[in-house]
C-alpha cells in the first residue's frame, strides 16, 4: 500500500533530519530554538503569544523555551513602553549568528539530500509535497 510506504519513508527522513540537526546545532542551539529564531528574524519584534500561530505547542512551553533562549543569550525580552503588560521578544547578535549557522547547516543538509535527484525531480517533489501539505 502506498500510504504505509510513504509513512515509512517520511518517518525515516524526519528521524534523519532531526538527528542531523540536533547533532550539528548542539550545544548552543536546538531545532526548536532555531525555528523560533527564524520566525523572530522574519517578524521581530514579536510577543510570545504571537509564536503560537506558528508553533504547535502550548503557551507554557513557549515561555520555557524563551526562558532558556534568554539565558543562552539568543533572545532579549523587553516591556512595551506604552503598555507594560506587553513583552516583546527580539533576537540578539549572538542569536542572529547562531541562526545563520543553523540555517546554513539545515540548507546544506537539504541540498545534499536533494542533490541525489535531478533538478526537474526536485521541483516535482516540492510541488507534490505542497499538494500533500495543503
Amino acid at each position: 500500500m502506498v500510504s504505509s510506504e510513504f509513512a515509512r519513508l517520511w518517518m525515516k527522513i524526519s528521524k534523519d533530519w532531526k538527528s542531523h540537526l540536533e547533532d550539528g546545532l548542539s550545544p548552543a542551539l536546538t531545532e526548536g530554538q532555531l525555528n523560533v529564531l527564524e520566525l523572530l528574524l522574519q517578524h521581530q519584534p514579536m510577543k510570545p503569544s504571537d509564536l503560537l500561530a506558528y508553533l504547535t505547542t502550548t503557551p507554557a512551553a513557549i515561555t520555557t523555551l524563551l526562558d532558556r533562549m534568554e539565558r543562552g543569550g539568543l533572545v532579549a525580552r523587553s516591556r512595551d513602553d506604552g503598555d507594560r503588560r506587553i513583552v516583546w521578544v527580539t533576537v540578539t547578535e549572538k542569536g542572529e549568528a547562531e541562526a545563520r549557522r543553523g540555517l546554513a547547516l539545515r540548507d546544506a543538509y537539504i541540498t545534499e539530500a536533494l542533490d541525489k535527484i535531478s533538478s526537474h525531480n526536485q521541483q516535482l517533489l516540492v510541488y507534490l509535497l505542497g499538494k500533500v501539505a495543503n
Side-chain angles (χ1 to χ4, degrees):
M1 175 133 229
V2 173
S3 60
S4 60
E5 182 66 6
F6 177 86
R8 185 186 68 76
L9 292 170
W10 186 260
M11 287 206 232
K12 180 182 181 341
I13 290 169
S14 297
K15 180 182 171 213
D16 291 350
W17 165 293
K18 188 166 203 59
S19 175
H20 179 79
L21 273 183
E22 290 294 336
D23 289 347
L25 294 174
S26 69
L29 206 57
T30 66
E31 182 183 6
Q33 291 173 341
L34 177 61
N35 292 338
V36 170
L37 289 173
E38 186 175 20
L39 284 169
L40 286 170
L41 287 172
Q42 292 170 2
H43 305 287
Q44 73 179 336
M46 292 179 80
K47 296 180 283 188
S49 60
D50 295 339
L51 294 168
L52 285 171
Y54 300 95
L55 305 173
T56 53
T57 190
T58 64
I62 288 176
T63 299
T64 302
L65 179 63
L66 291 175
D67 286 345
R68 203 169 336 129
M69 292 176 74
E70 189 173 33
R71 278 193 307 273
L74 301 171
V75 298
R77 290 177 172 136
S78 60
R79 296 275 177 193
D80 187 89
D81 292 334
D83 185 344
R84 302 278 302 148
R85 295 172 295 177
I86 298 174
V87 175
W88 294 106
V89 182
T90 55
V91 178
T92 63
E93 285 184 30
K94 178 181 179 181
E96 192 171 335
E98 285 297 320
R100 279 194 307 271
R101 181 180 72 84
L103 294 172
L105 179 77
R106 184 183 72 189
D107 290 348
Y109 178 78
I110 292 169
T111 298
E112 182 182 331
L114 290 176
D115 279 348
K116 297 173 185 172
I117 59 176
S118 71
S119 176
H120 170 76
N121 282 340
Q122 289 177 25
Q123 292 171 355
L124 182 59
L125 176 62
V126 170
Y127 171 78
L128 293 172
L129 285 173
K131 289 279 198 188
V132 171
N134 294 324

